[in-house]
Amino acid sequence: MIATTPALLVSPNGEVEELLLDSRHADQLRCIGFYVEDPRAHQLGRRAVVHAGHGTESVNDVARQAWMSITGGSRPPLLRGPVVITGATNHAGDLTPLPELSAEAIQRAAGLLSGATTIGFKVSAVQHCGGRNYQCDSYAINRNKNTGRWAFAVLDGIGDRLEVHHFAQRFAPLIAREAARHGSPARALAAARVQARNELRWDFDPRTDPSAVAVVAVADHRSPLIHVAWCGDARAYRLAPIGISQPVTHDHNYAQDLRSRGRTPGPYDRNFITSCVMNGDIGAATIERGHTRRLLLCTDGAYAPLEERGQDVGGILDLADDAKGAAALVVDDAIAASADEFPDNATALVVDIVQA
C-alpha cells in the first residue's frame, strides 16, 4: 500500500499549508520541485528536513524561526523563498512524514510572526496498486497562497500502462493548481482537456492515447459552498454532521445511461465510460460546507468492490475517527472485498472539514 507522506509548505509571508507527498522518493522530489526551484536539503534536527532553493527571493523568517524552535535555538541557514519541510529520510532513502510535534512548532512560529490561522481542513489519501502492473491512480492537493482556496483532485488513469501512469501523475497537480487559482473545478478540467488535446494536435485516439477520469473539489473560506466537478466514473461522497452520507456525483458511463432510461445495466456496463479528461461531459455540483463534516473523493477501485458486496461506501466514512483512518478503511475494505483475481488500483482522498 502507498501511504501519504505529510509535509508543510512554508511561505515567507507566513502562510503554511499541508502537502501530501507520494511515498516514492523520485515522486516526492518531483512534488517538492513544484514549489521550490532547485531545492537543497538541510537537515533540521534528527527528524526533519528543510528543502530550500538557491534564489534571491525574500528571506523566509517563518522557516528560520521554526528551525530555531525545533532545534532549541541553533542558528538556521539563510532560507529564502518558499520552503518545504518534511520528515527525515528512512533506510530506503524515502522521506518520512513530518513528525506532529515539528509540524505544531512550525504552525506556532507562523502564527507568532504573521498571525496566520490554522488550516481548516485535515486531509489524507491512501492508495493501493491492487493486482495491476502500474499505479495509474493519482491525487493532488493545492492551496493557492493568493486566494486561500483549497483544491483536491483524484484521477483514475484508463488502462494499465506506463504512459497512463505518467499522464495521471502529471495532470492531477495541474488540475488541482488551476482549480485553486480560479475556484472552478469544471474550468480546471476543461483547461486540462485543452492542454492535453493540444499536445496531440486534437487527434485523440482512445485506443492508444492515455487519458483518465477525474473528480475535483474546491473549498474557499470566503464561500459557504464547496464546488465539485467530475468526468467519468470517479466519485465524490459527502458525510453530514449527523452521520448521513450521500453521493455528490453521478457516473458518466454506460451503466448510468441505461439506468437513466429505466433499463437494468449488465455486470460489465459500468466499465464503458462516456466521459474522461480528453472528451465527453463535465459534471458540476455544489454542497454546503457547513452541512458537510467529511468529503471523500475516490476511484472505482475503491467503491466498486464494496458496492458489489452490497456495502454502503459513504457509510464507511462515519466509522473512522479522522481523515487518515477513513481513507485507509475505504481502501482496505475495497481490496478485501474485491472478487477480481487482479484488483483495480484503489485511491481514497478524505477531507475532514473543520467548522469555524
Side-chain angles (χ1 to χ4, degrees):
M1 178 175 295
I2 300 174
T4 55
T5 302
L8 290 180
L9 172 65
V10 182
S11 300
N13 63 3
E15 291 186 348
V16 179
E17 63 179 279
E18 183 177 5
L19 301 178
L20 294 177
L21 308 179
D22 198 287
S23 64
R24 295 178 293 263
H25 189 62
D27 290 326
Q28 291 173 337
L29 295 181
R30 177 183 58 83
C31 183
I32 291 171
F34 286 147
Y35 305 95
V36 181
E37 185 176 358
D38 191 21
R40 173 184 296 174
H42 303 271
Q43 191 68 35
L44 174 55
R46 292 185 298 109
R47 299 183 178 179
V49 178
V50 176
H51 306 267
H54 305 289
T56 59
E57 299 179 77
S58 58
V59 175
N60 194 325
D61 288 324
V62 176
R64 288 169 60 85
Q65 179 62 48
W67 181 291
M68 289 186 287
S69 298
I70 293 173
T71 61
S74 68
R75 184 176 179 177
L78 185 59
L79 305 174
R80 294 183 178 273
V83 305
V84 173
I85 305 180
T86 69
T89 54
N90 60 20
H91 65 280
D94 300 323
L95 297 168
T96 60
L98 182 67
E100 185 174 350
L101 291 178
S102 299
E104 291 175 355
I106 295 165
Q107 294 281 12
R108 284 197 303 271
L112 289 172
L113 292 179
S114 65
T117 58
T118 57
I119 297 171
F121 303 96
K122 303 293 185 180
V123 190
S124 186
V126 171
Q127 292 187 300
H128 197 291
C129 197
R132 302 302 175 91
N133 294 317
Y134 299 99
Q135 175 54 269
C136 293
D137 289 355
S138 184
Y139 63 87
I141 298 97
N142 187 281
R143 179 177 181 269
N144 186 280
K145 65 180 181 181
N146 295 319
T147 66
R149 297 189 193 99
W150 284 79
F152 315 96
V154 169
L155 269 63
D156 181 356
I158 301 170
D160 185 22
R161 296 182 290 134
L162 184 59
E163 295 84 357
V164 176
H165 164 81
H166 289 320
F167 182 95
Q169 291 288 327
R170 178 185 172 204
F171 274 92
L174 293 178
I175 290 170
R177 187 181 305 174
E178 181 77 6
R181 179 183 297 117
H182 296 291
S184 170
R187 175 175 173 174
L189 288 174
R193 174 172 295 175
V194 170
Q195 178 173 336
R197 298 201 65 156
N198 272 336
E199 292 174 1
L200 294 172
R201 302 193 178 188
W202 289 85
D203 188 22
F204 171 64
D205 186 342
R207 296 169 299 179
T208 57
D209 295 322
S211 188
V213 301
V215 59
V216 190
V218 172
D220 188 335
H221 67 282
R222 297 163 298 187
S223 171
L225 300 177
I226 295 175
H227 297 271
V228 179
W230 72 97
C231 55
D233 60 356
R235 290 185 183 178
Y237 294 83
R238 65 178 288 271
L239 179 68
I242 59 175
I244 298 175
S245 64
Q246 64 179 154
V248 179
T249 59
H250 61 267
D251 297 340
H252 294 145
N253 58 20
Y254 188 49
Q256 181 62 38
D257 286 351
L258 290 174
R259 282 191 289 266
S260 67
R261 299 199 297 268
R263 299 172 60 184
T264 301
Y268 301 106
D269 287 337
R270 72 170 188 85
N271 295 328
F272 296 94
I273 62 168
T274 57
S275 177
C276 65
V277 171
M278 301 300 286
N279 55 22
D281 292 339
I282 294 175
T286 57
I287 57 177
E288 294 187 62
R289 188 179 64 183
H291 295 164
T292 304
R293 176 160 63 93
R294 181 169 285 169
L295 183 67
L296 166 67
L297 307 182
C298 60
T299 62
D300 67 335
Y303 68 76
L306 298 172
E307 285 192 339
E308 290 168 359
R309 290 281 187 95
Q311 293 180 251
D312 178 13
V313 181
I316 295 176
L317 296 178
D318 197 35
L319 300 178
D321 293 331
D322 54 19
K324 182 178 180 180
L329 193 59
V330 169
V331 171
D332 288 348
D333 284 5
I335 295 299
S338 179
D340 196 327
E341 183 180 358
F342 301 102
D344 196 0
N345 301 151
T347 296
L349 186 152
V350 175
V351 184
D352 277 357
I353 300 167
V354 181
Q355 307 294 345

